[in-house]
Amino acid sequence: MPADAATPDRIDTSGDKTLILLRHAKSDWPDGVNDHDRPLGGRGNREAPAAGRWLVEQGLYPDMILCSDAVRTRQTCTWVCSELGEKAPTPYLDSRLYEADATRALAVINETEERVRTLMVVGHMPWVQDLGMRIASVDSDEEAVVSMAERYPTLGLQVFKVPGEWASLDGRDARMTHFVVPRP
């Protein structure tokens, strides 16, 4: 068999990968609670599952989920995973995504193994919006980019097609296909 022939244990890394950036759902700020420990509010708990349902409707199932270790992002991720059901991977909590800027968040994404074909990252403003602006290529869906740039509410979700390696994702090299704010 030729050396380049596919074998059962070889991972196909050809073709575009998918990156999903999700801002956490609406949070609360109870008295005496620091920012990191802020939970979702009532609205956030009602709306967060809608992001998971939207992903299922689109047939987007992450192979890997990276999530900020803040309470509100973890809770959002839990709601999304409950909608993904058996196809939900175990999320990886990464403390670097809390209080990150776009450059730091991108560095975390750049560490992703190539066998991951669909990556979801759950994080915070302003880096989710800043990162989207940084990586959106000129062939992105213009309406999606403009909508995301003008207003990025809680539970805003961006979807990108990434043609190259995760490690080389840097700027203007991912095609944004969607920006949505799923609601129940």
Side-chain angles (χ1 to χ4, degrees):
M1 179 166 21
D4 63 341
T7 59
D9 60 342
R10 179 171 284 165
I11 297 165
D12 179 11
T13 59
S14 63
D16 289 350
K17 294 182 284 298
T18 302
L19 173 63
I20 303 162
L21 298 178
L22 176 64
R23 181 182 179 195
H24 62 79
K26 185 70 174 165
S27 61
D28 194 8
W29 203 322
D31 288 339
V33 173
N34 67 33
D35 184 67
H36 186 271
D37 296 332
R38 287 173 44 210
L40 292 181
R43 186 178 112 197
N45 281 305
R46 286 188 304 276
E47 293 178 348
R53 283 192 296 277
W54 186 87
L55 292 170
V56 169
E57 289 166 5
Q58 303 303 311
L60 289 173
Y61 294 93
D63 302 314
M64 180 178 187
I65 299 174
L66 296 174
C67 183
S68 161
D69 66 347
V71 170
R72 60 193 178 275
T73 49
R74 293 182 353 228
Q75 290 176 329
T76 299
C77 189
T78 297
W79 282 115
V80 169
C81 287
S82 72
E83 294 296 323
L84 296 174
E86 293 177 358
K87 294 186 178 185
T90 301
Y92 175 76
L93 300 180
D94 196 314
S95 62
R96 297 174 296 173
L97 294 173
Y98 176 71
E99 293 188 338
D101 60 15
T103 301
R104 175 177 278 178
L106 181 57
V108 172
I109 292 167
N110 290 151
E111 295 172 0
T112 304
E113 294 181 16
E114 284 306 303
R115 68 178 167 193
V116 173
R117 306 308 294 164
T118 301
L119 172 66
M120 183 169 81
V121 185
V122 185
H124 308 269
M125 280 294 278
W127 72 254
V128 288
Q129 183 179 40
D130 294 345
L131 181 56
M133 294 300 298
R134 176 175 175 170
I135 65 173
S137 64
V138 296
D139 62 340
S140 292
D141 179 283
E142 184 177 352
E143 186 177 324
V145 174
V146 169
S147 180
M148 179 272 298
E150 289 179 345
R151 182 172 173 270
Y152 202 119
T154 53
L155 210 61
L157 185 149
Q158 304 170 71
V159 179
F160 294 89
K161 292 299 179 183
V162 179
E165 296 179 350
W166 293 116
S168 64
L169 182 62
D170 184 30
R172 302 283 177 253
D173 48 1
R175 182 173 53 88
M176 183 187 289
T177 60
H178 295 83
F179 176 70
V180 296
V181 184
R183 297 292 185 225

